[in-house]
Amino acid sequence: EPDRRNGEQQGLEPLLHERVRRRGVAEFLGAKARVVHEVRAPPAFVDYLAAQSEGNPFFIAEYLRVAVAEGLLVRNARGEWTIAETTEPTEVMCAALPLPRSLHELVERRLSELSPTTRTVLLLAATIGREFDLPVIQSAAGVNEDMALDALADLVQRQVVEPVETGSVFRFSHDKLREIPIRDASAEERRDLHERVASALEARGGFEQESVCAALGRHWLEARHPQRAIAHLHEAGDKAMRVNAVERAIAHYRGAI
């Protein structure tokens, strides 16, 4: 069984970079199911898969395996796959699914043998979010531009990140490539990463922007500096109120509580 599974995984790995559109996830699942058992994918689960996989066929297949193993997907009397009957909302059940081990192993292989500088750049980028820019990464990592670019070039070659149109901005190729490394970091390391990012953002300025104040508040909060976080979150809330963005303002103020 392990040999067969490894063979299947290796055969699916080239699909990692073949994206299918979000609306095509249901068709992908339907085609995969018809080959085996002439069944249809439950719509509620399709929505979850689309969000988690971003249309990546390998990720879809692995989440399907976990859903069946965990009893989330079961067969009804007609032999069709459906969400298991429970008092819990489907969204809660989906959120409780463990990350497929194969995805974790796949990401680990993709990120193996990184240099210390590249690993630091990766973790700082993952701390910032799906998109990040070169100046903040360079400042947070404490390296010169050439070193930062070399690290990013390595991550681009590994197809972990990709440049976007603006040139100095990069984004993770898939959010799992961002989530897993930061999840594997220790709590102490995560606090340090947030502190370094917050310090880099403060050094850059731009406090007239609500988004910058909100980001600073979030990072200082995660870095366990609540007083500094509160000041920025209040400022973000005030800026949102000035443009009548009441819901955003409330979210910022609540974050400061």
Side-chain angles (χ1 to χ4, degrees):
E1 176 66 19
D3 290 340
R4 183 183 65 81
R5 183 177 177 80
N6 289 338
E8 290 177 349
Q9 182 169 315
Q10 291 172 2
L12 284 167
E13 283 184 12
L15 296 177
L16 274 169
H17 312 298
E18 296 178 14
R19 302 302 181 88
V20 295
R21 292 175 296 183
R22 189 180 187 89
R23 66 184 181 186
V25 171
E27 286 80 358
F28 174 87
L29 293 178
K32 190 175 186 64
R34 283 192 295 274
V35 169
V36 184
H37 292 296
E38 294 289 335
V39 297
R40 293 177 298 174
F45 190 59
V46 171
D47 293 339
Y48 170 76
L49 283 179
Q52 294 296 315
S53 69
E54 299 180 15
N56 186 301
F58 176 75
F59 286 13
I60 294 171
E62 293 308 298
Y63 269 101
L64 274 175
R65 292 188 181 105
V66 169
V68 173
E70 294 291 319
L72 174 59
L73 284 181
V74 297
R75 289 186 183 281
N76 61 20
R78 295 185 298 275
E80 297 174 334
W81 289 111
T82 187
I83 299 295
E85 293 185 7
T86 177
T87 57
E88 293 283 356
T90 299
E91 293 79 6
V92 173
M93 294 179 64
C94 288
L97 284 177
L99 181 73
R101 183 182 303 175
S102 56
L103 296 192
H104 197 284
E105 293 171 350
L106 182 66
V107 172
E108 284 184 334
R109 287 201 301 274
R110 185 74 64 83
L111 302 178
S112 65
E113 299 179 358
L114 292 179
S115 71
T117 299
T118 301
R119 181 180 183 275
T120 297
V121 166
L122 169 70
L123 290 174
L124 288 167
T127 301
I128 293 171
R130 184 71 182 264
E131 288 193 359
F132 55 93
D133 62 48
L134 174 62
V136 172
I137 287 293
Q138 180 184 337
S139 175
V143 298
N144 61 39
E145 184 175 292
D146 287 342
M147 293 175 69
L149 286 172
D150 286 345
L152 288 170
D154 186 11
L155 294 174
V156 169
Q157 185 177 16
R158 294 170 184 264
Q159 298 178 314
V160 175
V161 304
E162 56 196 14
V164 298
E165 293 180 3
T166 52
S168 66
V169 178
F170 296 78
R171 74 191 304 269
F172 281 88
S173 304
H174 193 287
D175 209 40
K176 295 302 176 190
L177 295 169
R178 181 190 70 83
E179 289 177 3
I180 292 175
I182 202 68
R183 181 184 301 177
D184 288 347
S186 68
E188 182 178 355
E189 188 173 22
R190 286 195 295 270
R191 286 195 296 272
D192 177 66
L193 290 165
H194 281 288
E195 183 169 345
R196 293 169 73 172
V197 170
S199 297
L201 289 173
E202 281 195 341
R204 186 172 68 170
F207 304 123
E208 70 281 358
Q209 300 177 45
E210 176 192 340
S211 60
V212 172
C213 293
L216 279 164
R218 177 175 69 87
H219 289 299
W220 281 127
L221 201 61
E222 294 291 340
R224 303 295 188 269
H225 291 285
Q227 294 306 313
R228 301 181 78 164
I230 288 169
H232 287 295
L233 289 169
H234 273 297
E235 183 63 25
D238 293 346
K239 291 182 184 301
M241 286 298 293
R242 293 187 194 115
V243 294
N244 296 318
V246 178
E247 290 186 2
R248 290 207 310 268
I250 292 174
H252 296 320
Y253 292 140
R254 282 179 175 169
I257 295 175

